[in-house]
């Protein structure tokens, strides 16, 4: 049970994907890792490319049982290891491991507790995690950093070497609704399609990220276009290949999309607990003069040269890896 790192992430791809990226980077070190996630992480675990990583799925509907399982499971690792590095990437599943890591330090342990916040404001779980952590990695720049905060920049799933090529087929439109979907965002795209004249609609192709639990919305799409293709998750989407993108305002999506293209309309998920997506979008409007409008479909015919945003860098997880290995 000799272990060097305990990495925890749950709830959404925005938490889980950065954690998996770090696990894969740490594969080069041959350090032992335990990765704790919940049912939301199952669809992403096949992206892990690290033979030294043990995956623990904690999936119980009863919150009390989840608490007990976490305490027993994590305590075994803290008892048998003197100096674990514990990294929480968010979601309520991360609270107990970070808390226990700090508590066990009273028993001659030397655990170091890290956390990662991908949004411009701390979510509820990470507000709690901040109390127990030694260091907090943040994605958005601030004028004054908190005592524990380390600015590492934004998270990227993958770095692509992009070459823009002029489109010669259908006009491609992409919708990124996140792992939880977004009714509001899908309604925006459906209305957009309705405004395209029927005689021109066949020139468009629509690729829509939407959970299987949204059958009614899928039917709405089918009524307005025969060129709609649905998917739940694609790890290597090449955003620069689309003529227009509709996206939620999760920080990972915003940073990665704007690295490659400004042909995008961002719409915050209005029912997030702390409205963090609203504040993420505001940051880009204030700092990068992001336009808050959907371009007319006729403008999509005007293909321009490749867009590159120098404000954004894709190396945040590499920076985290370098820091925690010190």
């Amino acid at each position: 049970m000799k272990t060097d790192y305990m990495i925890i992430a749950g709830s959404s791809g925005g938490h889980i994907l950065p954690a998996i990226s770090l696990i894969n980077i740490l594969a080069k070190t041959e350090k032992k890792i335990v990765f704790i996630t919940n049912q939301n992480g199952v669809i992403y675990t096949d992206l892990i490319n690290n033979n030294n990583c043990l995956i623990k799925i904690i999936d119980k509907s009863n919150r009390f049982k989840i608490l007990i399982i976490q305490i027993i499971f994590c305590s075994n690792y803290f008892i048998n290891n003197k100096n674990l590095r514990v990294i929480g990437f968010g979601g309520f599943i991360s609270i107990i491991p970070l808390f226990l890591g700090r508590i066990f330090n009273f028993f001659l342990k030397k655990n170091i507790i890290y956390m990662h916040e991908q949004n411009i404001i701390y979510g509820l779980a990470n507000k709690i995690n901040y109390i127990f952590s030694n260091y907090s990695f943040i994605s958005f720049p601030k004028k004054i950093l908190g005592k524990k905060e380390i600015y590492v920049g934004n998270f990227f799933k993958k770095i692509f070497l992009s070459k823009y090529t002029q489109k010669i087929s259908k006009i491609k439109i992409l919708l990124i609704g996140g792992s939880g979907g977004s009714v509001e965002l899908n309604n925006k795209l459906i209305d957009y399609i309705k405004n395209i004249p029927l005689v021109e609609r066949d020139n468009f192709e629509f690729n829509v990220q939407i959970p299987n639990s949204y059958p009614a919305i899928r039917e709405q799409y089918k009524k307005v276009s025969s060129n709609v293709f649905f998917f739940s998750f694609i790890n290597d989407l090449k955003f620069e290949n689309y003529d227009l993108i509709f996206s939620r305002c999760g920080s990972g999506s915003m940073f990665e999309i704007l690295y490659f293209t400004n042909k995008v309309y961002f719409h915050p998920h209005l029912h997030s607990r702390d409205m963090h997506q609203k504040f993420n979008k505001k940051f880009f409007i204030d700092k990068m003069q992001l336009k808050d409008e959907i371009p007319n479909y006729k403008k999509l015919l005007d293909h321009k040269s490749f867009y590159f945003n120098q404000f954004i860098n894709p190396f945040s997880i590499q920076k985290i890896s370098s820091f925690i290995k010190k």
Side-chain angles (χ1 to χ4, degrees):
M1 195 179 285
K2 172 66 172 70
T3 305
D4 301 287
Y5 297 99
M6 178 182 289
I7 298 175
I8 316 98
S11 299
S12 71
H15 299 302
I16 298 162
L17 288 169
I20 290 177
S21 179
L22 177 61
I23 290 169
N24 290 340
I25 289 173
L26 290 174
K28 301 174 183 178
T29 67
E30 297 186 357
K31 297 290 186 179
K32 300 295 183 181
I33 301 168
V34 57
F35 175 48
I36 302 172
T37 187
N38 55 15
Q39 191 61 34
N40 300 85
V42 173
I43 63 173
Y44 303 107
T45 52
D46 61 345
L47 300 175
I48 293 176
N49 186 23
N50 188 330
N51 294 328
N52 292 313
C53 179
L54 171 70
I55 302 170
K56 173 65 176 178
I57 308 294
I58 297 179
D59 180 38
K60 295 288 182 182
S61 57
N62 185 300
R63 292 189 176 184
F64 179 73
K65 289 183 179 180
I66 292 175
L67 178 67
I68 297 302
I69 291 171
Q70 278 193 292
I71 291 175
I72 294 173
F73 180 81
C74 294
S75 293
N76 285 330
Y77 281 90
F78 289 122
I79 290 170
N80 289 285
N81 294 277
K82 187 175 182 180
N83 51 354
L84 267 174
R85 283 171 165 77
V86 186
I87 309 104
F89 280 85
F92 283 98
I93 195 172
S94 64
I95 295 175
I96 294 301
L98 269 65
F99 168 73
L100 288 175
R102 176 53 63 90
I103 291 299
F104 270 87
N105 279 350
F106 290 104
F107 301 94
L108 300 179
K109 303 291 183 177
K110 296 181 180 179
N111 304 310
I112 304 178
I113 317 300
Y114 307 91
M115 58 168 287
H116 175 264
E117 177 54 65
Q118 71 273 35
N119 294 302
I120 195 167
I121 62 172
Y122 285 86
L124 179 57
N126 273 346
K127 286 178 181 176
I128 299 172
N129 288 338
Y130 190 85
I131 299 171
F132 309 128
S133 65
N134 298 106
Y135 303 99
S136 173
F137 300 115
I138 62 172
S139 302
F140 286 79
K142 297 170 65 173
K143 288 184 178 179
I144 301 177
L145 292 175
K147 183 179 179 180
K148 301 178 182 179
E149 290 179 332
I150 300 170
Y151 170 60
V152 294
N154 41 281
F155 160 69
F156 274 50
K157 294 191 296 293
K158 210 169 190 178
I159 302 172
F160 303 113
L161 298 177
S162 301
K163 292 183 179 179
Y164 184 90
T165 55
Q166 185 166 338
K167 311 298 187 299
I168 57 175
S169 57
K170 294 184 184 295
I171 298 169
K172 295 184 178 181
I173 296 181
L174 172 69
L175 182 142
I176 300 294
S179 56
S182 172
V183 174
E184 303 95 343
L185 188 61
N186 281 282
N187 286 338
K188 288 279 186 182
L189 178 53
I190 291 170
D191 290 340
Y192 188 82
I193 297 172
K194 289 178 179 178
N195 286 325
I196 301 173
L198 283 171
V199 293
E200 299 184 40
R201 213 173 286 180
D202 193 51
N203 295 323
F204 290 76
E205 176 184 300
F206 306 95
N207 296 272
V208 179
Q209 181 189 32
I210 188 170
N212 294 327
S213 56
Y214 283 47
I217 293 180
R218 291 181 179 227
E219 289 302 317
Q220 291 183 53
Y221 276 112
K222 292 176 182 179
K223 290 178 181 179
V224 297
S225 175
S226 59
N227 295 326
V228 182
F229 304 94
F230 303 109
F231 66 96
S232 58
F233 174 72
I234 298 176
N235 188 46
D236 59 349
L237 278 171
K238 293 179 173 58
F239 298 114
E240 70 278 13
N241 289 341
Y242 291 90
D243 298 281
L244 177 61
I245 299 173
F246 287 70
S247 176
R248 287 174 58 174
C249 300
S251 67
S253 296
M254 295 192 76
F255 278 120
E256 192 165 355
I257 290 169
L258 287 171
Y259 185 72
F260 294 115
T261 179
N262 59 354
K263 295 178 181 178
V264 57
Y265 171 72
F266 290 112
H267 187 74
H269 184 49
L270 301 178
H271 304 292
S272 57
R273 182 180 292 105
D274 49 19
M275 298 295 288
H276 63 266
Q277 292 199 6
K278 171 186 173 182
F279 294 107
N280 288 349
K281 181 175 180 177
K282 185 178 185 301
F283 172 87
F284 284 101
I285 290 175
D286 294 344
K287 302 296 183 182
M288 295 173 55
Q289 289 76 52
L290 176 69
K291 292 183 178 180
D292 189 17
E293 61 184 24
I294 307 176
N296 184 282
Y297 73 94
K298 293 181 180 179
K299 292 184 178 180
L300 302 185
L301 300 174
D302 180 23
H303 298 295
K304 297 182 179 180
S305 59
F306 174 62
Y307 164 91
F308 179 79
N309 193 320
Q310 294 182 339
F311 175 81
I312 298 171
N313 75 81
F315 301 108
S316 67
I317 304 302
Q318 289 88 337
K319 291 178 182 178
I320 291 174
S321 172
S322 297
F323 190 90
I324 67 176
K325 287 187 291 186
K326 291 181 179 179

